[in-house]
Amino acid sequence: VCSSDLCQRKIIMPTVKSYGNTQVSTAALPSVRRSAAPTEETFGVEAGNKIVAIGAKLYNDEILRQDQVAVLEADRKMSEWENKRLYDPKDGALAKRGKDAFGLPDVVGKDFDSYRDEVRAALSNERQRAAFDRQAISRRSDIDKSLSRHVFTEVRKFDDTETENYLKNSRQSAISKSGDPDRTGLEIERQVAAITDFSSRNGLGAEYVRQKT
């Protein structure tokens, strides 16, 4: 029995749309790659590699430091040798004057090579020796230049003094032999020859010879 109002209305119940037998898939999305989680073993290898790399760098830095200090010591020895051998106010090469300065580049050069070989032999590896060799070559070149300038100056002074003394002596001899024309003429020829040779050695030219004779 229903009331007249309810009986006259069509009762509509809500329904749920059906999709057949489709189920939710558990497969991974196509664009997503799954990687294995790090294990204690792989983590240990990575950490170990980093430690090895750090250790290798520290070792290389230490080797470099040792090489640099060893070469620095060797070059310091060469510097001390140079100061004494060249610049000692009493016995140094640059204290030599006149004829005593002749041949200094050869003599000092041999002394340098001998001491350089001694210092070089005390170095412990080829890296150190190669670096030392470069410095030694540069130092040897500078020493040669200093000695060459010094010798050039001293030779010129010696040449000036000896030539002038020679001419003075020859003129005095010519005066003493004034009664002997042959001997006097010979002394004059010697003077002209000495002046000509001096001019040639020092690049003074024919005009210098003309003025002096």
Side-chain angles (χ1 to χ4, degrees), residues 187-199:
E187 290 299 333
I188 293 175
E189 289 178 1
R190 288 172 175 169
Q191 293 169 30
V192 172
I195 292 171
T196 301
D197 289 344
F198 179 84
S199 175

Side-chain angles (χ1 to χ4, degrees), residues 74-198:
D75 193 50
R76 186 262 303 165
K77 292 179 180 179
M78 296 305 302
S79 179
E80 291 177 350
W81 178 91
E82 178 184 354
N83 288 336
K84 181 175 178 59
R85 188 66 181 85
L86 266 67
Y87 303 107
D88 184 84
K90 181 179 179 181
D91 299 322
L94 298 183
K96 303 297 182 184
R97 296 290 180 262
K99 189 167 61 175
D100 291 340
F102 292 9
L104 277 176
D106 290 336
V107 174
V108 176
K110 290 178 181 178
D111 292 345
F112 177 92
D113 292 343
S114 178
Y115 188 69
R116 176 205 60 205
D117 292 345
E118 178 183 333
V119 173
R120 189 179 190 276
L123 296 171
S124 61
N125 59 59
E126 287 304 317
R127 294 186 307 275
Q128 296 175 9
R129 284 186 279 271
F132 173 75
D133 287 345
R134 291 191 294 271
Q135 294 180 341
I137 290 172
S138 176
R139 186 180 297 277
R140 177 73 143 80
S141 177
D142 290 341
I143 290 174
D144 287 344
K145 291 176 183 177
S146 296
L147 291 174
S148 295
R149 287 193 297 267
H150 177 70
V151 171
F152 176 83
T153 300
E154 292 305 312
V155 168
R156 179 59 188 269
K157 289 179 181 178
F158 186 78
D159 192 5
D160 290 346
T161 301
E162 288 303 311
T163 299
E164 185 61 31
N165 289 339
Y166 180 87
L167 293 173
K168 287 180 180 179
N169 185 70
S170 180
R171 293 184 187 113
Q172 183 61 44
S173 181
I175 294 172
S176 300
K177 300 168 184 174
S178 59
D180 187 340
D182 291 338
R183 297 293 301 276
T184 301
L186 179 60
E187 290 299 333
I188 293 175
E189 289 178 1
R190 288 172 175 169
Q191 293 169 30
V192 172
I195 292 171
T196 301
D197 289 344
F198 179 84

